[in-house]
Amino acid sequence: MGDYKNGKRAEKIISLQNSDGTWGNMFHSLCPPNKRYPLTTEQALRRLKILGFTIKDAPIRKALSTT
């Protein structure tokens, strides 16, 4: 199994994270993506989890600190 946490997909998702820890103006995945916000926070967190990220990783901690 590869190191997906350091791959291009993870890099792209993390690069889209806003300074407040979110990935868009909406949390829920039923909100339609748009050019400004291609991912919802829910989608980003799910994808990062699939790539092997956990609560110990900075992007996840940053997202959870906004609640």
Side-chain angles (χ1 to χ4, degrees):
M1 183 174 197
D3 184 13
Y4 299 112
K5 289 172 68 173
N6 293 315
K8 290 182 182 181
R9 288 187 176 114
E11 198 175 290
K12 178 65 175 174
I13 295 168
I14 293 167
S15 75
L16 294 171
Q17 190 174 28
N18 298 317
S19 60
D20 68 357
T22 65
W23 275 267
N25 59 350
M26 301 292 179
F27 176 82
H28 200 276
S29 64
L30 293 178
C31 298
N34 57 55
K35 288 182 181 182
R36 186 170 179 200
Y37 300 113
L39 285 174
T40 65
T41 299
E42 180 185 9
Q43 290 168 331
L45 290 172
R46 186 178 339 104
R47 291 174 188 186
L48 289 174
K49 180 182 178 190
I50 290 167
L51 293 172
F53 285 76
T54 68
I55 189 115
K56 295 178 182 179
D57 294 298
I60 306 295
R61 285 195 322 266
K62 186 175 182 180
L64 295 177
S65 71
T66 64
T67 59

